[in-house]
Amino acid sequence: GTRKDDAARAVPAECPAVAAPGDSRARQLRGMWIATVGGTDWPTDPSRPAAEQRARFTRLLDTARAMNLNSVVVQIRPDADAFYRSPYEPWSAVLTGTPGKDPGYDVLAFMVKEAHARNLEFHAWFNPYRVAQDRDRSKLAPTSPARRHPDWVRAYGDQLWYDPGLPQVRDLAVNAVMDVVHKYDIDAVHFDDYFYPYPESGDFPDAATYRAYGHGMPKADWRRRNVDTLVQTLSARIHQDKPWVRFGISPFGVWRNRTTDPAGSATSALQSYDDIYADTRGWIRKRWIDYITPQLYWPIGDRAADYRTLVAWWDRQVAGTGVQLTIGQAGYRVGEDAAWKRPDELSRHLALNARHRGVRGDIFFSATDIAADRRGFASRVRADHYARPAIQPPAAPAGQRPHTPDPVRGVRA
């Protein structure tokens, strides 16, 4: 790839008076999540014929285009399974209703092709540790690693999880992601906010793993190190094998509260650092990720976690790091309560974002909410902010600076 780029830049521009386009504030990432777990956005009914499912997916992509979005973030490994033929994990039950059943076509290849045909970037969204939405292991496909290696799996709350402290679990997650990176023309690898599970009654049952691998570290530090190891390993592998593929994470919107840590935000909410062992601020500072999309699912003026306060805090965290900041927006909350009954609440969020140079776009949760346009919120965002299309900000592999695009060539009158 480097030799090809060097050769391209050696060719002189045909219009030397016209500079190649650089960065500008008009360049934004505008995206929406397409959630597949439980059929949230797609496919809503696994019993429907594949052709009907495909038509529904392309309608969601057409919704993105009509909204003048330029990216979709599509969940392709919702529960330790796959939307493609994987040597590591079974076909997802989301597609057919039956774990491990072949849907009859390469779902991921179809998705990527249709997204790119509409000039939409495709961010492949993986969940690294969640295995199932209930505790009944007999519902898993016989070929699932969770069935073959029950010692990797922990029951917690109403769900099954892989134990993040096991090296075998990290290897599986890395292999699953890199299989997709190698085989498909994706634009980014994307994780959301699920690392260690959100706290429920009791502690996550990893005492035996901690005894085997903790080596005397405080358990919380050890858990954070386990997640750090996965993030750092994937960052290195992705950027080594395909430098143009970005690695982004969309964490819970609060790293730590200021009452816990002077470096934290002036909020009083759950803390990803302490509660799910995700050191999101550390990943930015170590430049392990290319973009971060904190889920700022609170309204402006919220008492516990004011949107205004959090945007400013995250803007300060990315300053000078090269990590792009985009904001996760809660389309799903529109109409919920008094604060979210304002049809312009999310439009106000984007207007506030424009005051922060570090904010380079937004991703909306989720596709169905954009399509439903409850209380006209999506129409308002489009009219106020997305009336014209936009191209994404320039990106570069971790540790590098974006280079100026190649000069214009092959011009025809």
Side-chain angles (χ1 to χ4, degrees):
T2 304
R3 288 194 298 274
K4 183 178 74 172
D5 292 345
D6 290 345
R9 280 192 284 277
V11 179
E14 294 181 1
C15 301
V18 180
D23 197 6
S24 79
R25 291 291 293 165
R27 295 178 68 146
Q28 298 177 313
L29 189 141
R30 302 173 180 174
M32 70 182 189
W33 279 284
I34 299 179
T36 61
V37 64
T40 302
D41 292 316
W42 186 88
T44 52
D45 185 351
S47 69
R48 304 307 300 165
E52 190 175 315
Q53 289 187 2
R54 289 195 293 268
R56 175 172 169 76
F57 186 78
T58 57
R59 284 198 298 274
L60 290 177
L61 298 183
D62 291 339
T63 296
R65 288 294 298 153
M67 187 74 179
N68 276 332
L69 306 184
N70 54 30
S71 306
V72 288
V73 183
V74 185
Q75 194 173 31
I76 63 163
R77 189 195 191 228
D79 283 314
D81 49 16
F83 275 45
Y84 50 95
R85 189 178 300 282
S86 167
Y88 303 106
E89 296 178 306
W91 283 101
S92 176
V94 167
L95 299 169
T96 63
T98 303
K101 183 178 179 181
D102 189 332
Y105 69 106
D106 187 331
V107 180
L108 181 53
F110 157 77
M111 289 173 153
V112 172
K113 179 182 178 184
E114 293 297 328
H116 287 169
R118 292 162 177 78
N119 289 323
L120 296 165
E121 281 194 342
F122 190 96
H123 296 225
W125 171 13
F126 299 79
N127 187 287
Y129 300 126
R130 190 175 58 215
V131 173
Q133 299 296 310
D134 65 41
R135 298 167 67 131
D136 186 351
R137 299 174 190 232
S138 68
K139 293 180 181 178
L140 300 173
T143 57
S144 169
R147 285 283 289 272
R148 296 202 310 267
H149 303 281
D151 54 312
W152 296 1
V153 180
R154 308 285 176 257
Y156 185 66
D158 296 328
Q159 299 181 333
L160 295 177
W161 294 80
Y162 282 127
D163 187 337
L166 293 171
Q168 306 96 304
V169 165
R170 290 195 294 272
D171 289 345
L172 174 62
V174 169
N175 287 336
V177 169
M178 295 310 301
D179 185 44
V180 170
V181 170
H182 291 149
K183 291 178 181 175
Y184 295 91
D185 186 24
I186 63 172
D187 299 289
V189 168
H190 183 96
F191 282 178
D192 60 7
D193 55 320
Y194 284 97
F195 293 98
Y196 276 83
Y198 281 87
E200 297 190 41
S201 57
D203 194 26
F204 184 72
D206 59 353
T209 314
Y210 175 57
R211 284 196 299 272
Y213 297 101
H215 304 303
M217 290 180 70
K219 183 182 270 191
D221 291 342
W222 170 74
R223 286 174 171 172
R224 274 186 292 274
R225 189 187 68 179
N226 295 332
V227 178
D228 279 357
T229 300
L230 177 67
V231 172
Q232 183 181 20
T233 301
L234 267 176
S235 178
R237 290 286 304 278
I238 293 165
H239 294 122
Q240 175 184 333
D241 293 8
K242 276 192 179 178
W244 59 92
V245 172
R246 279 124 57 217
F247 182 29
I249 294 179
S250 177
F252 182 76
V254 173
W255 170 70
R256 298 187 97 182
N257 300 312
R258 189 176 292 169
T259 50
T260 304
D261 188 320
S265 50
T267 50
S268 54
L270 179 141
Q271 306 171 105
S272 68
Y273 183 92
D274 303 272
D275 294 310
I276 56 176
Y277 309 99
D279 184 10
T280 53
R281 180 173 180 259
W283 304 337
I284 294 170
R285 295 161 76 89
K286 294 165 184 169
R287 192 55 173 94
W288 289 345
I289 52 178
D290 299 298
Y291 71 83
I292 193 157
T293 310
Q295 297 174 15
L296 302 192
Y297 293 168
W298 299 276
I300 294 172
D302 187 88
R303 289 186 176 183
D306 181 5
Y307 181 88
R308 182 186 292 105
T309 298
L310 282 165
V311 169
W313 186 88
W314 284 101
D315 184 41
R316 292 193 296 273
Q317 306 317 304
V318 301
T321 65
V323 176
Q324 285 183 359
L325 172 62
T326 51
I327 305 299
Q329 300 289 356
Y332 75 97
R333 296 200 66 186
V334 171
E336 251 185 25
D337 55 28
W340 288 105
K341 281 187 165 56
R342 294 185 57 144
D344 67 338
E345 177 65 27
L346 290 178
S347 180
R348 293 170 68 221
H349 289 198
L350 270 61
L352 193 151
N353 291 356
R355 303 177 197 169
H356 298 280
R357 295 193 61 82
V359 178
R360 301 310 309 269
D362 300 86
I363 304 178
F364 292 82
F365 192 89
S366 63
T368 300
D369 301 291
I370 290 281
D373 195 18
R374 279 189 308 282
R375 308 183 77 83
F377 87 90
S379 298
R380 184 65 180 265
V381 167
R382 190 188 189 284
D384 292 351
H385 305 281
Y386 291 174
R388 295 174 178 270
I391 54 176
Q392 294 87 347
Q400 300 181 26
R401 297 188 64 80
H403 70 259
T404 303
D406 297 335
V408 176
R409 298 188 305 277
V411 178
R412 296 284 187 276

